[in-house]
Each structure stands twice: as structure tokens, then as C-alpha cells.
Amino acid sequence: MPRPADHAADAPGTPAARTPDLATDRLAALADDLVDHRWKGLPPDAAGSRVGALAGARRDLFTGGFTTPVLALSAEAVEHNLRQLEDYTERHGLAFAPHGKTSMAPQLFARQLAYGAWGITVAVPHQVRVCREFGVRRVFLANELVDAAALRWLAGELAADPDFRFVCYVDSVRGVALMDEALRGAETGPATPRRLDVVVELAAGEGARTGARTEADCAAVADAVAATDTLRLVGVAGYEGEVPQADGDRVRAWLRRLTALTAELDAAGRFGADVDEIVLSAGGSAWFDAVADVFAEVPELSRPVLKLLRSGAYVSHDDGHYEELTPFNRVPDEGALLSAFTLWAQVVSRPSPGQAFLNAGKRDAAHDLHLPRAHAVRSARDGTVRPADGITVTGLSDQHTWLRTDGGDGGTGAELEVGDWVGLRMSHPCTIFDKWQLIPLVEPDGTVTDLIRTFF
């Protein structure tokens, strides 16, 4: 899909004009929400105004009344990252359904779709409902769905909207039976029920996460699907990030099992005559280079193959887990991603030359994979910003960050005062986004241009 003619005209927090499959009225309605006590970090003097009015005021993050702690999302980095994955997937002939669980932010879904995404991937029924509320027309659920209430709701969505495309995993005969039972009992009113599209999930190895463990198991699941009139097998999928002791060779070997299974099911006539394209899907944020390499080897099948990548962390990237694992470290000529998040907190205690405490903690900062890193210091005296040299995060309490300020050498301590703002960089986007319901989108000069709503 071509890019919008002028990206500069489309702020990252708004849907691009070429995304008619998004409910732009519902996205626009987010701007009508009230600024009040529900949202961390927003200016108290903006209480009672609308979110859109606050964004339109273009306040400065540091001098415009925002309170600490406050999470900032770089507009420049987000735009860069969106371009990078659009370029990458186009170059490698991949369709793209970025994992929406990372941000659960429909405004960012809109931008991802505007930059060429086929649809949005999610993990659980609630996330499907968020996608549908904001008009996402193609949803890939990377899990087997056996919740009867959710399946009955989904049947109604499919019956009511012929343009809605939904695909989910199946990985067990029992799961197929539960899905079939729920869908047969679904009430769709006068609308004609539609079969639910499924892809059989191949596990990434013995002891890995979900998925049928062997090709024979996958064939049994395919047979179970064929025996229903509520499900339709449209492809094969899996997640290479769960390959045990993953390295390039092991990941590629498993991906070749995935593509071989797709070819075998196709040769055996497992995909019905009404299936227009075969879905072949994999790809987290750590091995999408391997996915691109192996998917390029797929032989010609009986019909076109939708080679669907599902990486999600790229939209904000991080400083830690994905900073280390991104495939762009292995293929630097293909591009690079930028970290988009900074959590700004204030020094509220400086009890000794070697120690300081910030007013942000586990409620505010991701900490499941790595502790945050001190990145920058903004002086409370004159607003100058400098690198956080000699400052190390040593721990987190619920509402405090513990800092060591002597550089670990027993010296007199880094220059740091009560009242200074410290910018923290964090690891793992999924657990950064989920702690903030309304996130300022910030230009390089500190201007807040939008507020990104999340739905966790």
C-alpha cells in the first residue's frame, strides 16, 4: 500500500485519510473526554477541559503544568518506526498485522494501518472488542479462542459485517469441538452465519508455549476443523520467539517446518475451494529477519499465500530487551528503530551524596525484564538538560525509584538536586504502555501535540 502523499499533514495521534476502515468518528471522540483526576501527569489547571483542547494548546511538557511522574512518547521516534516497518515489509513481500497488545492504543492502530498494515493482531477477546469498537476490519487473534461468550459475540460481529475479517489459532481437537459447540449455539438474528477462519498453530518445539506439537497433531486438528460447518481452515501459523534455545539456525529450521506444513496441508487438499488465499503467519519483534528469509522460500502453492508478519514492539521500541534483540542489529543496512519512551520523574529526596529518590516506581515504570535506566537530567534551576552521567537505578518501590549517585566509586556523588527532573528509559514496551491510560505525544522541543489513549 502506498504511503500517504504527505505524512507531515498527519499527526501520529490521528488517523490518516487513507484508513477508511477505521471508525474516525470514534477516534475523534477520544478528544472529547474530560481532563480530570483519572489521568496521571496531566496539568491540574486543565481539569474540566477536553483532551483535544489540551492537545491543541501545545503546552510544554516541562513548563506547561504537567506533573511528575509523566510518561512521554516521542512523536518523532514513532513516525520513524512506522516508516521503518512499512519499508521493511514492502521490501520483503510481507503483509503486516502488528500485535496490538503492545500499545492497545487505537490512535496508534490507525497510524499502523495508514502505514500499510493489513490488520491488527491481538491476544484475547477484550482486545478484539477494542479493535471492533474503533472499526478495525481485519483482526488476527494469536490464540485459540474457546470462550463461549466471546465466540457467540464474534459470530454476531461476523454476521453483521461482511467486511470484517477475523482469523484465529486452533491447536487442539478439543478446542475445535468447543469452538464448534459455541458457534452452533450463537444467535445471529436474520443474518446468515459465517464460518470462522482458523489457522492451525504449530508449536515452536517441545516444552514451548502453545501450539500442536507435531505435524501429525496439526493434521488431526485440520481434520477436526473439516468435520465442522462452523470453522474454515485458511492456513498455518506459529511464533518463532518460543523456539527453545533460539538462535538463527534453530529459528530458521522451525520456520521451515512451518512452511513445509503449509505446503503439505495444501497438497492434501485441507484448504477448501472457497479459500482464496492461504495464510502463513509468524514473526515477533526479535526474529522478523529470519521470517522474511524463510517465507521468501515458500514454493508456489495452489493459491496465493498471505505471508503475515505480526511484530508489535517496533512502534515504540525500547531501551533494553528489544534494543538488544531487534533484527536490525543483525541487518543494519535494512534500517534501525528508535526508542520512543521517556518517563520523567522528580528528585524528591537526596538523603546522602550517594543516594537519591524519584517520585516514580513500579506503578509507573516497566520493570519485568530490566530496571529503568537514568538517561537525562533536567535542572530545576534553569531547565538545562544534561546526560545522567554517574546516576544508576538500583531498585523500585511502589512509588519510588532508588538512585545511586556516586557512580559506584564511592565519590562525592553526581550533581543532582531535589526538584530536578530525571528522564528514565525502560525495557519492554508492552509493560510500559499498560501503566498509562493517557500518554502525551511530544515533539523534540518538548511540545505536547496529542494525548494517546490506551485500553488495557
Side-chain angles (χ1 to χ4, degrees):
M1 184 182 291
R3 287 195 182 114
D6 181 10
H7 279 315
D10 299 311
T14 60
R18 67 172 181 147
T19 358
D21 56 336
L22 264 289
T24 53
D25 57 333
R26 293 174 191 170
L27 286 167
L30 294 175
D32 293 331
D33 211 340
L34 283 176
V35 176
D36 58 23
H37 62 279
R38 291 171 293 168
W39 322 115
K40 296 192 289 187
L42 298 195
D45 66 354
S49 63
R50 302 290 176 180
V51 167
L54 176 57
R58 298 179 63 85
R59 295 196 188 197
D60 185 273
L61 184 74
F62 305 105
T63 62
F66 289 86
T67 63
T68 56
V70 61
L71 182 67
L73 182 63
S74 165
E76 182 179 47
V78 168
E79 193 82 1
H80 170 88
N81 295 341
L82 290 167
R83 288 177 185 269
Q84 287 296 296
L85 262 291
E86 181 184 37
D87 287 345
Y88 186 87
T89 53
E90 285 185 351
R91 228 173 12 251
H92 291 278
L94 300 170
F96 190 30
H99 213 316
K101 73 173 175 63
T102 299
S103 72
M104 286 309 297
Q107 291 152 289
L108 295 181
F109 295 171
R111 294 303 300 165
Q112 290 170 312
L113 292 165
Y115 276 85
W118 172 90
I120 299 295
T121 297
V122 293
V124 293
H126 162 256
Q127 295 167 357
V128 182
R129 292 187 64 196
V130 172
C131 286
R132 292 302 292 156
E133 179 66 23
F134 288 89
V136 178
R137 288 187 179 175
R138 295 188 182 122
V139 178
F140 187 103
L141 179 68
N143 256 327
E144 185 169 69
L145 179 58
V146 294
D147 184 309
L151 284 161
R152 290 192 294 268
W153 169 82
L154 187 60
E157 288 289 299
L158 289 166
D161 184 356
D163 293 326
F164 175 36
R165 177 86 191 273
F166 177 85
V167 181
C168 76
Y169 284 176
V170 287
D171 80 348
S172 65
V173 172
R174 169 64 173 162
V176 169
L178 289 171
M179 296 174 76
D180 180 53
E181 180 182 3
L183 291 168
R184 282 189 285 106
E187 295 289 339
T188 60
T192 302
R194 289 168 56 193
R195 286 189 294 165
L196 191 152
D197 286 350
V198 295
V199 290
V200 63
E201 182 194 6
L202 175 66
E206 196 61 40
R209 201 165 64 187
T210 57
R213 283 332 197 220
T214 68
E215 283 77 358
D217 292 337
C218 290
V221 173
D223 286 342
V225 171
T228 76
D229 57 9
T230 58
L231 304 175
R232 181 175 73 154
L233 186 68
V234 298
V236 175
Y239 175 48
E240 75 293 337
E242 283 288 312
V243 169
Q245 299 175 312
D247 60 21
D249 290 341
R250 289 186 178 92
V251 167
R252 284 174 173 81
W254 178 81
L255 286 165
R256 291 188 176 100
R257 282 184 62 198
L258 190 75
T259 58
L261 174 62
T262 307
E264 289 165 10
L265 293 177
D266 183 45
R270 306 277 188 168
F271 308 120
D274 61 341
V275 175
D276 296 328
E277 62 183 3
I278 297 169
V279 177
L280 172 62
S281 182
S285 296
W287 292 104
F288 56 73
D289 57 332
V291 173
D293 291 346
V294 175
F295 279 15
E297 303 169 359
V298 175
E300 185 174 348
L301 301 182
S302 65
R303 65 211 81 183
V305 178
L306 181 73
K307 302 172 184 178
L308 193 62
L309 184 72
R310 304 192 307 271
S311 312
Y314 81 101
V315 69
S316 66
H317 200 43
D318 75 355
D319 289 83
H321 187 68
Y322 289 109
E323 177 188 30
E324 297 171 1
L325 295 182
T326 177
F328 288 130
N329 292 339
R330 296 186 290 271
V331 288
D333 291 345
E334 293 260 31
L337 297 173
L338 300 177
S339 176
F341 276 128
T342 304
L343 175 63
W344 288 97
Q346 265 184 303
V347 179
V348 293
S349 181
R350 189 77 162 95
S352 71
Q355 196 172 39
F357 292 87
L358 306 178
N359 64 341
K362 293 178 181 178
R363 309 298 175 111
D364 315 296
H367 56 89
D368 57 317
L369 297 180
H370 302 90
L371 286 173
R373 302 173 185 171
H375 172 72
V377 177
R378 186 179 189 278
S379 171
R381 293 182 182 272
D382 59 16
T384 57
V385 179
R386 63 183 186 275
D389 295 337
I391 300 172
T392 304
V393 175
T394 61
L396 294 174
S397 300
D398 286 351
Q399 302 289 180
H400 290 93
T401 299
W402 295 58
L403 300 181
R404 187 177 69 219
T405 58
D406 61 7
D409 58 6
T412 57
E415 181 186 351
L416 195 64
E417 293 187 299
V418 169
D420 287 349
W421 290 43
V422 177
L424 302 174
R425 294 289 182 87
M426 294 167 289
S427 177
H428 197 190
C430 299
T431 56
I432 300 172
F433 276 105
D434 71 2
K435 292 173 176 58
W436 294 81
Q437 293 181 301
L438 203 59
I439 304 170
L441 189 72
V442 184
E443 295 294 334
D445 66 358
T447 302
V448 174
T449 59
D450 208 342
L451 295 144
I452 304 300
R453 181 78 159 87
T454 67
F455 292 84
F456 285 96

